[in-house]
Amino acid sequence: MISPRMATGMQEKQYTPSLLNFFIYNPKFGPREGEEEKKILFYHPSDVEKNEKIRNVGLCEAIVQFTRTFCPSKPAKSLHTQKNRQFFFEPEENFWIVMVLCMFILNYICAEFIDTVYGAVLQQCYSMYKLFNGTFARAMEAGGVELLTQKLEKFFYRYLQTLHLQSCDLLDVFGGISFFPLDKMTYLKIQSFVNRVEESLSLIKYTAFLYNDQLIWSGLEQDDMRILYKYLTTSLFPRHSEPESIHFLVDVTMEMMILVILCLCFKRFLTGPSNLKDPEAKFRFPKIFVNTDDSYEELHLIVYKAMSAAVCFMISASEELGREFCEQLDGLVGPQLTLLASDICEQYNINRRVSGPDKEPQFKFIYFNHMNLAEKSTIHMRKTASVSLTSVHPDLMKILGDIHADFVRVDEDEEIIVKAMTDYWVVGKKSDQRELYVILNQKNANLIEVNEEVKRLCATQFNNIFFLD
Amino acid sequence: MSEEHYLELCDSPVQFENASSVNNVFFDEANKQVFAVRSGGATGVVVKGPDDKNSIAFRMEDKGEVKCIKFSYENKILAVQRSPKSVDFINFMPDLPHSEFSQECKTKNATVLGFCWTSWNEIVFITDQGVEFYQVLPDKRSLKLLKSHSINVNWYVYCPETSVILLSTTVQGNVLQPFAFKCGTMSKMSKFEIELPVVTKPAKIILSERDIAVATIYGQLYVMYLKHHSRTGNNPGAEVVLYHLQREGACKRSHILKLNTTGKFALNVVDNLVIVHHQSSQTSFMFDIKMKDTDSNLNIHQPVLPARSIHPYKIALTGPAAVGSQTPVPCELYSSTWSVFQPDIIISASEGYLWYLQVKLKPVVSLLQDKSKLMEFLLRRRDCKMVILSVCSQMLSRGDKGSLPVVAIVFDKLNQVYKEYLEAEQSYTMAVECGPSRGSTAHKRPVRTQAVIDQSDMYTHVLSLFTERKDVSHKFIIAVLMEYIRSLNQFQITVQHYLYELVIKTLVQHNLLYMLHQFLQYHVLSDSKPLACLLLSLESTYPPAHQLSLDMLKRLSTANDEIVEVLLSKQQVLGALRFIRSVGGHDNISARKFLDAARQTKDQMLFYTIFRFFEQRNQRLRGSPNFTPGEHCEEHVAYFKQAFGEQAFIKPVTL
């Protein structure tokens, strides 16, 4: 049996990466000698001496330029040195984001995987910036370099502090969305709810519905939802987390449940006013940018929560939102959402009872579908604001990463079975756009038995999807 | 304004010679026949029925003034009452003698108040001292007394539909004694008392037969009492009190219909609606006893709609008086010469017309604003289908703000009725399949009323047109479709494929493919082969549709051949083979199909592998690795030989 353990504390020293530098530059902004500083739009840490900044940026620029001659279509992504790793990313033309991590790696097996993970982390940094600030190009159009540097400074100063580099793993690469399993009828009720709210409050452009931090409905397009989901689950929700979780209600009687629900009925705005009754309340909501490739929309983000159900309402930023609107929204959504949330909870508990008590299975797995970004992990515990907890040894996580790196390289479906040194079997399976990683704790099993075991797992856990065997 | 008249007289009334000093007119409620008796029958009797175009005309001897004249069912025997003591009979059956015979009432000193036919040869005499139930023996030209009952009778009311006769007894006339007749039996039902408004002077008949009517409403028999309140009291007006008359048990006061006015009233029942005509205002009230008023649980009803007059009616003047002027003239409605009969008959004896009263549903739509109430009301009406469908269309086309909840309620109401029908149909089918059940009554196939609005009705008349509309936002269109699907699911009705197709078509049209993906992810659109194929066709515009389609085919578990085809078309030959092997179908697949696909990939090793697989299959199934001519693989065998050489073939095992 695998005993859950914290990934952080027990990790080997050499694997603990730390952020050395993080900078953003545009080589076109200071092409002449002596103007190099102008290229730098953001530099972390800010207290580094100017010349060193220029030197580092120059080095990156040179590497990118130099490597480009070998493969113009795929510029360099990372640079390995003895002590550190540099990751390069050009999210918009001529804008480069560079992240330098300090890490000693003795074990070269997972080198490739580390590139994938931190490359993904770097891209996520940009996506998150873009979600709240729009593209670099738009900022340039609106207020030139000055505005852009201001925005970068304001955003990354805080954001970099929340990067938990040591606990990044395969899930960061996938950047998936965990979907809440739900029966058709309850799902249709949610649809109905969303449609009604959008109809009566026509200002609302998009709606997203989550339960237990898992997505049920997104009116946003997939890519925008992906990053918004990341923000909600790793930043907004953990900040507002409370012992409100409905899980402890599993086995209580109906009356008690009603009682608890009544007590916990504080539905409220997670963004915007904390208390509608407060006469001083401010009605300011965070703004997000979506569909940046075509329609480029700026939206108010209202996140409203009742029990475990959270709904994001997105309204064009050009609309003025005041007390009146919030009260209207509260009055309309509050009662319906509370009812719906208790419906979902009830349904969820029924399903849990049907599926029987959670016995610790002989295996743990990570599943990801590239098509709908659905991810499922029995390896990871609930994500908290600070770290993600895994229940398996980091070495096994590294093996998963390596298998993934193999999958990326090949287009075809394949299956990889690894026997880890700690007697675990690790199986990776790729079928069409899906990836499945299984960790089996069966010391004495042979290859055939492991293969059979995985087949069985697919037949029970994934029987409603097409998995090539 | 004309659209506000929700009541009308039928287009083709029964016309008869109007009543005059020489022509007496009688109406038989049982057969709905009008008798025009000229000079006591000597100069002719003309009988006009509701549907028969040919009237019956005959002559009979004038033996005094006719008081009452009625045919038995199917016009077999005519009964005529001319004296207070006896009733005369004439056979109308072709083979029997035509001459009259007579029957005197058995009770001494009794006066015959009237008679009622209860079947083709059974008749009830109602006298002031009781009832006498006879069987007529036409061949013997005599009657046989089946049963009688003594009771003091003031007057009586007959309901031919249920063969129930109500007798007014006691001094005040307000104790009603019902009798039911069926196949030669007479059963006394429990008597009941009508609560009178004020008891002023006893020993005087207060309850008049004019204020009592009997009718079947929603399959139940009701006695309707028009209760006139004295103007002095603080009662605002008259009311109709309904007493529910059951075969067993006591008769209970069940509904009160508030008229809120006073004056002369007449009652009709049309399509299970109680219509109260008010003469002085020349309007009619309409009541639906199934419509619940929220403010009371006592079953006190207000009119469904504001009172309106019957739609103006014009009669074409014919006959000598109207020669030359053919223009129709307006008919006087609510005339004092009108007689009203149950359930829905209005007769103007002076003009010679018999009309059926009809309810028009279209005007109701605009008069009844509350859509939920309107839908309930319409679902209970006979010819409601097209009106309901047009209400749905109209409701969706406006796209008012906040109309989705209303749409949801309307869909739920429709589907409730739809589901009830489906369930009845299902249990009928099951009962029939189980064979005739012992003891219980024969299974009756459920009647499909117009209120059953199924998915194809909704699709054809409402939804398919609605989704084509350009002036409605696609958000609203999709919301409405989802609402309909939600409602069907809520009532556990299997959603038809064409509705899913409509949803998909609409989503694709507006490029809302991620939305479609999410619907499929939660199985909102149920799996089916056609749906999977539809998804496959979307792959070029939305690549994930491929995966969705394959998953769906997998879940169907009857679509393995389709899965193989899909994989082969994607050149996933090995994948297809492994799949079919995993489901155990690899012994029956066509080798040629796989070899064709493998050749197309231009992958030599893949071709080798596939070829080898089938060689081994041949060996296993037939003991020889060679392909049979029927498999048409010669071309591939030749290619294999050319590519890998003769020695690459599996050697046939020689025993």
Side-chain angles (χ1 to χ4, degrees):
Chain A
M1 202 94 335
I2 305 154
S3 57
R5 45 182 280 186
M6 295 258 287
T8 31
M10 307 290 282
Q11 267 170 353
E12 294 85 340
K13 249 193 187 140
Q14 83 261 19
Y15 191 63
T16 313
S18 60
L19 184 66
L20 213 57
N21 287 313
F22 186 97
F23 48 87
I24 299 166
Y25 70 92
N26 185 329
K28 297 276 183 259
F29 288 179
R32 268 172 298 208
E33 267 201 47
E35 290 181 348
E36 286 91 347
E37 201 189 354
K38 287 186 184 171
K39 293 179 188 176
I40 308 171
L41 300 166
F42 175 78
Y43 201 100
H44 167 88
S46 53
D47 54 1
V48 172
E49 201 252 325
K50 180 177 135 188
N51 280 329
E52 195 189 330
K53 286 183 186 172
I54 292 171
R55 249 199 334 271
N56 281 335
V57 168
L59 180 63
C60 290
E61 206 186 327
I63 292 162
V64 169
Q65 276 304 332
F66 170 68
T67 53
R68 188 164 269 178
T69 53
F70 298 102
C71 181
S73 60
K74 283 187 188 168
K77 278 188 185 152
S78 71
L79 175 72
H80 301 197
T81 64
Q82 208 167 19
K83 285 189 209 157
N84 55 37
R85 296 270 177 115
Q86 304 199 1
F87 300 92
F88 313 112
F89 179 47
E90 186 188 20
E92 293 175 44
E93 201 185 356
N94 290 320
F95 285 96
W96 286 88
I97 308 180
V98 180
M99 179 167 75
V100 186
L101 302 184
C102 172
M103 55 167 88
F104 300 91
I105 294 160
L106 304 170
N107 180 357
Y108 283 93
I109 308 169
C110 48
E112 204 173 343
F113 174 57
I114 283 174
D115 280 356
T116 324
V117 170
Y118 292 102
V121 169
L122 186 56
Q123 289 182 27
Q124 218 171 65
C125 288
Y126 171 72
S127 299
M128 201 61 91
Y129 169 84
K130 193 176 72 171
L131 179 68
F132 290 103
N133 295 282
T135 61
F136 296 158
R138 285 284 175 136
M140 289 294 296
E141 277 170 34
V145 183
E146 205 179 324
L147 179 71
L148 179 60
T149 49
Q150 258 176 33
K151 279 182 168 236
L152 292 171
E153 193 70 46
K154 198 173 156 209
F155 177 80
F156 282 108
Y157 173 73
R158 272 190 54 196
Y159 185 72
L160 292 180
Q161 295 174 12
T162 66
L163 282 182
H164 298 281
L165 296 167
Q166 65 278 22
S167 58
C168 294
D169 61 29
L170 196 56
L171 285 193
D172 293 280
V173 177
F174 292 147
I177 295 170
S178 178
F179 285 93
F180 188 79
L182 203 60
D183 66 294
K184 177 159 62 171
M185 197 54 230
T186 319
Y187 184 80
L188 282 167
K189 277 191 203 160
I190 292 170
Q191 271 296 314
S192 183
F193 161 78
V194 169
N195 288 335
R196 283 174 194 207
V197 174
E198 286 189 7
E199 199 211 13
S200 37
L201 297 172
S202 50
L203 286 183
I204 298 171
K205 246 180 151 173
Y206 307 104
T207 309
F209 195 107
L210 295 94
Y211 189 86
N212 262 355
D213 296 2
Q214 290 173 298
L215 187 66
I216 293 177
W217 166 252
S218 161
L220 281 182
E221 286 302 311
Q222 201 178 44
D223 282 339
D224 291 322
M225 193 61 229
R226 179 188 224 169
I227 193 70
L228 179 63
Y229 179 79
K230 177 89 188 164
Y231 163 70
L232 293 173
T233 53
T234 60
S235 175
L236 186 70
F237 292 161
R239 261 189 280 141
H240 289 88
S241 74
E242 56 225 322
E244 195 197 334
S245 169
I246 214 77
H247 290 292
F248 64 90
L249 289 175
V250 175
D251 281 317
V252 295
T253 61
M254 200 61 207
E255 296 84 56
M256 259 183 80
M257 195 142 108
I258 289 163
L259 199 72
V260 174
I261 286 169
L262 287 176
C263 297
L264 293 176
C265 247
F266 29 84
K267 36 195 185 270
R268 62 214 174 116
F269 292 91
L270 292 194
T271 60
S274 50
N275 182 3
L276 275 182
K277 301 262 181 329
D278 180 6
E280 304 282 296
K282 293 265 188 301
F283 294 91
R284 288 188 48 191
F285 295 94
K287 294 205 177 103
I288 58 166
F289 293 79
V290 299
N291 293 328
T292 48
D293 289 338
D294 36 59
S295 51
Y296 203 87
E297 294 166 82
E298 189 179 353
L299 306 167
H300 293 289
L301 174 66
I302 303 177
V303 183
Y304 189 91
K305 201 170 180 196
M307 302 200 291
S308 294
V311 191
C312 306
F313 298 108
M314 285 155 269
I315 295 169
S316 173
S318 56
E319 302 289 344
E320 202 70 48
L321 300 181
R323 178 185 297 276
E324 198 190 332
F325 179 80
C326 291
E327 282 173 350
Q328 206 185 345
L329 185 80
D330 189 47
L332 180 77
V333 172
Q336 287 190 63
L337 188 60
T338 311
L339 209 65
L340 205 49
S342 63
D343 250 20
I344 301 170
C345 173
E346 200 179 313
Q347 203 59 45
Y348 177 68
N349 288 337
I350 289 170
N351 289 347
R352 274 167 63 119
R353 247 171 255 145
V354 167
S355 64
D358 291 338
K359 5 179 235 260
E360 183 83 4
Q362 285 291 305
F363 51 78
K364 288 175 181 288
F365 68 85
I366 296 180
Y367 162 85
F368 181 70
N369 182 356
H370 287 271
M371 281 288 146
N372 61 359
L373 306 179
E375 74 174 24
K376 197 173 175 185
S377 168
T378 61
I379 289 171
H380 295 77
M381 321 292 235
R382 249 173 119 76
K383 283 213 171 188
T384 64
S386 53
V387 283
S388 89
L389 303 172
T390 61
S391 57
V392 298
H393 193 274
D395 280 347
L396 290 171
M397 289 307 289
K398 274 185 261 172
I399 294 175
L400 295 186
D402 282 339
I403 297 175
H404 170 74
D406 267 343
F407 287 162
V408 171
R409 234 179 293 122
V410 198
D411 269 346
E412 270 158 48
D413 293 355
E414 59 180 11
E415 188 167 330
I416 296 172
I417 303 180
V418 178
K419 176 141 196 199
M421 280 175 293
T422 43
D423 285 330
Y424 285 97
W425 284 92
V426 181
V427 182
K429 221 169 132 73
K430 181 185 172 212
S431 171
D432 194 23
Q433 298 292 317
R434 295 182 164 109
E435 290 176 35
L436 174 68
Y437 302 87
V438 186
I439 298 174
L440 289 153
N441 180 20
Q442 282 170 322
K443 206 191 288 194
N444 300 320
N446 62 32
L447 194 60
I448 294 168
E449 285 163 351
V450 168
N451 194 32
E452 286 300 315
E453 189 63 39
V454 173
K455 261 190 192 172
R456 225 180 352 261
L457 168 70
C458 287
T460 53
Q461 297 270 331
F462 301 102
N463 61 337
N464 57 352
I465 59 171
F466 184 78
F467 240 136
L468 265 184
D469 116 80
Chain B
M1 266 307 275
S2 76
E3 272 311 294
E4 292 218 325
H5 302 282
Y6 48 78
L7 291 170
E8 64 181 357
L9 302 174
C10 66
D11 286 334
S12 48
V14 177
Q15 273 175 278
F16 53 89
E17 192 184 341
N18 57 312
S20 64
S21 53
V22 289
N23 185 39
N24 285 329
V25 176
F26 298 90
F27 178 65
D28 170 18
E29 287 181 81
N31 291 322
K32 318 251 181 286
Q33 286 168 326
V34 183
F35 290 77
V37 183
R38 289 182 71 91
S39 335
T43 45
V45 178
V46 180
V47 186
K48 290 211 169 183
D51 350 279
D52 40 24
K53 292 277 172 284
N54 320 331
S55 47
I56 306 167
F58 57 89
R59 277 169 209 277
M60 58 185 190
E61 256 179 86
D62 185 358
K63 291 182 182 170
E65 195 200 341
V66 173
K67 288 184 170 170
C68 185
I69 178 166
K70 286 171 186 174
F71 269 118
S72 76
Y73 293 160
E74 294 159 16
N75 305 333
K76 293 211 160 121
I77 305 163
L78 181 72
V80 189
Q81 188 196 350
R82 295 175 177 118
S83 79
K85 286 279 173 198
S86 64
V87 178
D88 307 325
F89 296 89
I90 306 167
N91 280 331
F92 265 72
M93 283 171 291
D95 306 333
L96 292 168
H98 224 68
S99 56
E100 285 189 23
F101 53 100
S102 181
Q103 175 70 45
E104 216 169 279
C105 67
K106 292 268 191 248
T107 322
K108 287 216 169 84
N109 304 324
T111 309
V112 177
L113 299 173
F115 61 87
C116 312
W117 287 103
T118 60
S119 79
W120 78 270
N121 66 346
E122 283 165 4
I123 193 164
V124 185
F125 289 6
I126 299 101
T127 70
D128 56 354
Q129 290 175 36
V131 286
E132 297 171 7
F133 186 33
Y134 292 99
Q135 186 179 32
V136 184
L137 307 166
D139 45 345
K140 291 184 181 147
R141 307 197 334 111
S142 66
L143 277 78
K144 187 177 121 192
L145 182 68
L146 295 172
K147 220 163 181 188
S148 65
H149 187 87
S150 288
I151 186 168
N152 280 325
V153 180
N154 302 314
W155 45 262
Y156 72 98
V157 177
Y158 179 50
C159 174
E161 268 178 274
T162 49
S163 300
V164 169
I165 292 174
L166 273 186
L167 305 177
S168 156
T169 66
T170 70
V171 179
Q172 290 188 316
N174 65 330
V175 176
L176 300 182
Q177 173 61 61
F179 282 95
F181 299 87
K182 202 181 171 187
C183 309
T185 62
M186 174 174 98
S187 44
K188 188 180 169 190
M189 296 160 74
S190 44
K191 65 179 176 191
F192 62 99
E193 190 180 331
I194 300 275
E195 275 176 53
L196 297 172
V198 271
V199 187
T200 41
K201 289 173 219 148
K204 179 191 161 195
I205 290 195
I206 291 171
L207 185 65
S208 146
E209 63 179 303
R210 279 200 313 271
D211 294 333
I212 292 289
V214 185
T216 327
I217 305 168
Y218 295 117
Q220 299 294 318
L221 189 62
Y222 289 94
V223 174
M224 301 186 283
Y225 164 47
L226 238 160
K227 188 174 185 180
H228 302 277
H229 281 293
S230 58
R231 272 163 225 254
T232 48
N234 46 8
N235 278 308
E239 55 193 30
V240 178
V241 186
L242 264 55
Y243 291 83
H244 185 193
L245 195 54
Q246 286 158 301
R247 292 263 154 196
E248 311 280 326
C251 180
K252 275 186 290 214
R253 199 175 75 162
S254 61
H255 299 272
I256 294 170
L257 316 179
K258 287 280 184 193
L259 298 172
N260 305 320
T261 180
T262 55
K264 253 181 108 181
F265 299 99
L267 296 169
N268 269 140
V269 172
V270 184
D271 202 0
N272 294 314
L273 296 165
V274 179
I275 310 290
V276 185
H277 305 291
H278 185 224
Q279 203 188 14
S280 52
S281 69
Q282 303 233 327
T283 55
S284 305
F285 301 91
M286 182 160 83
F287 293 90
D288 183 352
I289 58 166
K290 279 207 180 169
M291 192 166 275
K292 294 267 183 299
D293 274 315
T294 44
D295 52 336
S296 77
N297 49 3
L298 289 163
N299 276 325
I300 295 174
H301 300 265
Q302 296 295 335
V304 176
L305 298 170
R308 289 283 185 275
S309 72
I310 297 170
H311 195 279
Y313 191 86
K314 285 182 175 174
I315 42 178
L317 287 178
T318 48
V323 173
S325 79
Q326 286 299 319
T327 44
V329 292
C331 164
E332 192 199 343
L333 303 174
Y334 300 94
S335 150
S336 55
T337 63
W338 275 14
S339 314
V340 173
F341 294 93
Q342 297 316 315
D344 54 352
I345 290 159
I346 294 173
I347 292 178
S348 171
S350 62
E351 284 160 317
Y353 279 92
L354 179 151
W355 293 283
Y356 290 95
L357 187 65
Q358 295 171 335
V359 172
K360 289 199 291 178
L361 295 179
K362 274 234 165 90
V364 176
V365 173
S366 49
L367 285 169
L368 198 56
Q369 288 304 313
D370 182 335
K371 286 277 181 295
S372 159
K373 263 190 171 173
L374 173 67
M375 221 20 109
E376 281 178 14
F377 176 83
L378 291 175
L379 282 168
R380 289 192 288 260
R381 303 286 77 83
R382 205 182 317 119
D383 299 317
C384 58
K385 180 176 245 160
M386 292 325 286
V387 177
I388 288 175
L389 290 169
S390 83
V391 169
C392 289
S393 289
Q394 191 195 331
M395 168 181 81
L396 296 180
S397 68
R398 288 220 305 267
D400 294 343
K401 216 172 155 190
S403 62
L404 265 183
V406 180
V407 170
I409 290 169
V410 168
F411 285 167
D412 284 350
K413 293 212 183 299
L414 295 181
N415 288 329
Q416 166 113 42
V417 178
Y418 179 26
K419 173 68 178 173
E420 279 161 12
Y421 170 72
L422 289 178
E423 270 180 349
E425 180 79 4
Q426 199 187 9
S427 53
Y428 167 75
T429 319
M430 261 166 59
V432 167
E433 273 168 13
C434 293
S437 56
R438 280 158 289 159
S440 74
T441 51
H443 307 293
K444 258 191 12 208
R445 193 184 185 91
V447 183
R448 184 178 172 145
T449 65
Q450 286 214 7
V452 177
I453 310 277
D454 65 14
Q455 295 173 60
S456 96
D457 293 328
M458 280 302 280
Y459 177 85
T460 319
H461 299 281
V462 181
L463 297 174
S464 65
L465 303 170
F466 169 62
T467 53
E468 303 276 305
R469 291 183 72 109
K470 296 280 175 285
D471 54 339
V472 182
S473 78
H474 65 262
K475 230 177 178 174
F476 185 66
I477 292 177
I478 292 157
V480 166
L481 291 176
M482 292 316 285
E483 204 57 65
Y484 189 56
I485 291 176
R486 178 206 53 77
S487 180
L488 289 170
N489 271 291
Q490 193 153 306
F491 288 97
Q492 295 165 317
I493 300 170
T494 315
V495 181
Q496 294 296 318
H497 174 252
Y498 44 77
L499 285 178
Y500 292 143
E501 226 168 85
L502 202 59
V503 172
I504 295 177
K505 203 182 88 190
T506 312
L507 290 171
V508 170
Q509 212 172 5
H510 296 98
N511 208 27
L512 299 166
L513 297 158
Y514 185 47
M515 209 179 256
L516 171 63
H517 198 138
Q518 295 184 66
F519 289 159
L520 289 161
Q521 202 176 318
Y522 281 95
H523 307 295
V524 166
L525 312 177
S526 305
D527 299 342
S528 72
K529 264 190 210 178
L531 193 56
C533 294
L534 185 62
L535 286 174
L536 270 184
S537 70
L538 291 176
E539 195 194 342
S540 55
T541 38
Y542 189 62
H546 174 74
Q547 192 192 60
L548 290 167
S549 169
L550 267 185
D551 291 351
M552 194 176 283
L553 290 171
K554 158 83 189 304
R555 285 192 297 268
L556 285 169
S557 79
T558 53
N560 293 338
D561 293 343
E562 282 83 353
I563 292 177
V564 168
E565 291 297 333
V566 170
L567 292 174
L568 287 182
S569 72
K570 291 258 138 190
Q571 301 208 327
Q572 294 183 348
V573 189
L574 211 53
L577 197 56
R578 290 175 66 172
F579 166 74
I580 200 74
R581 193 177 59 181
S582 74
V583 297
H586 54 296
D587 284 352
N588 306 318
I589 46 170
S590 149
R592 190 191 159 105
K593 194 195 278 175
F594 280 80
L595 289 169
D596 281 348
R599 272 284 286 285
Q600 270 170 22
T601 63
K602 306 227 163 27
D603 180 343
Q604 288 267 8
M605 276 324 290
L606 179 69
F607 181 75
Y608 182 90
T609 313
I610 301 295
F611 192 87
R612 181 50 42 93
F613 174 85
F614 283 107
E615 274 190 310
Q616 284 168 350
R617 184 182 82 165
N618 294 342
Q619 178 88 54
R620 186 162 46 80
L621 294 179
R622 294 193 296 269
S624 156
N626 297 330
F627 290 92
T628 63
E631 291 179 277
H632 301 291
C633 290
E634 296 79 9
E635 178 200 346
H636 296 300
V637 173
Y639 176 78
F640 187 83
K641 188 172 161 188
Q642 180 212 324
F644 305 106
E646 184 86 48
Q647 69 286 353
F649 288 114
I650 293 184
K651 300 284 173 294
V653 186
T654 42
L655 295 166

